[in-house]
Amino acid sequence: MSEVMERFLRYVSYDTQSEDDAEEMPSTKKQLVLGKLLRDELKQMGAENVRMDEHGYVYAAIPGNAQKPVPALGFIAHMDTAPAFSGTGVKPQIVENYDGSDICLNRELDIWLRTKEFPELSGYAGQTLITTDGTTLLGADDKAGVAEIMTMASYLLNHPETEHGPVLIAFTPDEEVGRGADLFDVKGFGADVAYTVDGGALGELEYENFNAASGKVVIHGCNIHPGTAKGKMKNALLVAMEFEAMLPSDEKPMYTEGYEGFFHLDSMSGCVEEAKMDYIIRDHDKKKFEAKKVLFSQAAAYLNHKYGEGTVEAVVTDSYYNMKEKIASHMYLIDKAKACMEKLGITPIITPIRGGTDGARLSYMGLPCPNLCTGGHNFHGKYEYIPAESMEKVTRLLVEIASSFVDLA
Ligand SMILES: [Zn+2]
């Protein structure tokens, strides 16, 4: 068994599910258990300045061995798994020499990984696939990234003949609840630039993501007995429906793809007296993003004009921005990753992310940080799987990128 696969199987046995709406960080204490293991393993393999802070961030350094000054390069992965699906008692199944047909994940529960639903599966015929047993997620997101970075680190430390600049490593908690960058110590990390290793299929390389905002709408109605309501009742639910109807009906997640942005009504509750709606607003293009926010506020203003000031409160808060703006002046990060992929026979797949990454937020915190593939598929659920060969290739890719940075000196 390859080192990266052996590491991966060890790391997924730790339940590190994070939790929404927790006050503390990490959101779940169990993430610290994996953090400690990684810290100890990094120390053991001879990495320097290895530390874990009280919030669960693990940092380490591999000093450069090149003869010239090379930019300090970081690799980052997250330790937690998604709150959306159980990560307790993960029992990976190993399908050796996969024959390209449907895979039974759980005979008793009749759960199958079918090529009809996931046509890319048959492309992995002949490889070793790691799947779930159908009752949990696998945790390749992002323990594959963790295992790949760890294996790269052990390779560099054991192969001093491979020239490289300073390589920094960080593992973060709580990425899946959107907080992985919150307490990241960019300065202490010490990297000039970095990659998150948190993407999907082999070859994925991402440096564009949404500009994102949340919109909270509260509508204040006025409840009167319906029998005597004429001219008096203000039904918050109906005003809420009117608000929604003022947003472009085709700019919704189910009608958009690629670079198309959207308004998404995520939750709605209420009664005649008061209604609440939670939206997210997304667009890759900064101008279109700003225009969407303006439209959102104008809808509220119109309804206030119609029904009286104070009827609709709409608060828009920016969440994160497209990292492209920050990567633009560091495009060599993309060119290098692409060239290294091609050298290893990996076809680069460059697509805009229809979401955000910790790297996007780190880019705005001063650490330009595109996203590299892990090799995994179907994250956040029971159909998650990863080919061992993809993990091995990504590991080689990380080593290749680290050593290619010597050319930047
Ligand atoms: Zn992830």
Side-chain angles (χ1 to χ4, degrees), residues 27-75:
S27 63
T28 53
K29 289 264 182 271
K30 53 193 177 184
Q31 296 180 62
L32 296 171
V33 182
L34 179 60
K36 278 181 197 147
L37 175 84
L38 295 170
R39 179 194 63 192
D40 294 347
E41 288 188 0
L42 281 161
K43 276 188 186 164
Q44 214 166 16
M45 66 171 80
E48 291 188 7
N49 203 8
V50 181
R51 61 210 187 276
M52 178 170 85
D53 69 15
E54 73 265 36
H55 303 293
Y57 288 82
V58 177
Y59 302 99
I62 303 171
N65 61 4
Q67 298 307 310
K68 34 197 179 175
V70 178
L73 167 63
F75 289 107

Side-chain angles (χ1 to χ4, degrees), residues 78 141-142 175-176 198 379-380:
H78 65 88
D141 177 13
D142 186 22
E175 189 272 351
E176 298 290 2
D198 191 21
F379 292 161
H380 297 193

Side-chain angles (χ1 to χ4, degrees), residues 295-312:
L295 182 66
F296 195 83
S297 300
Q298 279 173 344
Y302 168 79
L303 292 171
N304 278 330
H305 183 71
K306 184 170 175 184
Y307 294 108
E309 274 318 307
T311 303
V312 180

Side-chain angles (χ1 to χ4, degrees), residues 16 24 33 176 190 192 217 301 319 378 387 402:
T16 56
E24 312 228 305
V33 182
E176 298 290 2
D192 296 309
V217 182
S319 310
N378 304 339

Side-chain angles (χ1 to χ4, degrees), residues 65-268:
N65 61 4
Q67 298 307 310
K68 34 197 179 175
V70 178
L73 167 63
F75 289 107
I76 301 166
H78 65 88
M79 299 180 290
D80 64 316
T81 62
F85 211 82
S86 170
T88 307
V90 173
K91 287 177 212 68
Q93 306 196 95
I94 298 167
V95 183
E96 278 175 345
N97 197 9
Y98 169 54
D99 63 7
S101 64
D102 294 351
I103 298 170
C104 181
L105 297 177
N106 195 309
R107 205 156 286 281
E108 209 175 308
L109 300 171
D110 197 27
I111 302 171
W112 292 74
L113 197 54
R114 296 193 190 276
T115 54
K116 208 173 141 215
E117 277 167 273
F118 308 109
E120 80 286 348
L121 265 172
S122 41
Y124 292 117
Q127 300 197 13
T128 300
L129 300 193
I130 307 171
T131 72
T132 71
D133 70 351
T135 63
T136 66
L137 49 65
L138 179 61
D141 177 13
D142 186 22
K143 285 162 185 162
V146 173
E148 288 153 2
I149 292 171
M150 289 294 281
T151 310
M152 169 211 66
S154 105
Y155 182 92
L156 292 180
L157 289 161
N158 285 308
H159 292 80
E161 73 281 7
T162 303
E163 255 198 315
H164 58 85
V167 173
L168 291 315
I169 291 168
F171 299 124
T172 66
D174 287 342
E175 189 272 351
E176 298 290 2
V177 291
R179 296 173 61 195
D182 281 12
L183 300 173
F184 193 100
D185 178 10
V186 171
K187 203 157 171 254
F189 185 44
D192 296 309
V193 291
Y195 296 91
T196 47
V197 185
D198 191 21
L202 188 66
E204 280 186 12
L205 168 59
E206 299 155 326
Y207 66 98
E208 293 178 85
N209 59 281
F210 274 143
N211 293 295
S214 63
K216 286 202 179 299
V217 182
V218 181
I219 294 158
H220 304 284
C222 179
N223 197 12
I224 311 265
H225 187 285
T228 56
K230 188 165 185 182
K232 298 186 189 114
M233 179 191 278
K234 188 172 5 174
N235 190 333
L237 291 167
L238 297 182
V239 179
M241 288 158 74
E242 206 174 334
F243 181 90
E244 165 56 30
M246 288 175 73
L247 302 177
S249 56
D250 57 340
E251 293 181 19
K252 304 263 189 276
M254 57 288 217
Y255 306 127
T256 52
E257 61 184 356
Y259 287 104
E260 295 164 338
F262 57 73
F263 297 89
H264 170 53
L265 175 58
D266 191 47
S267 76
M268 178 172 190

Side-chain angles (χ1 to χ4, degrees), residues 272-314:
V272 174
E273 189 64 24
E274 188 185 78
K276 288 183 180 173
M277 294 189 290
D278 289 326
Y279 282 87
I280 62 171
I281 301 169
R282 300 288 187 262
D283 209 300
H284 289 98
D285 185 279
K286 192 78 194 230
K287 276 203 190 111
K288 291 182 184 165
F289 174 62
E290 294 301 331
K292 282 191 165 62
K293 291 194 294 181
V294 169
L295 182 66
F296 195 83
S297 300
Q298 279 173 344
Y302 168 79
L303 292 171
N304 278 330
H305 183 71
K306 184 170 175 184
Y307 294 108
E309 274 318 307
T311 303
V312 180
E313 290 174 62

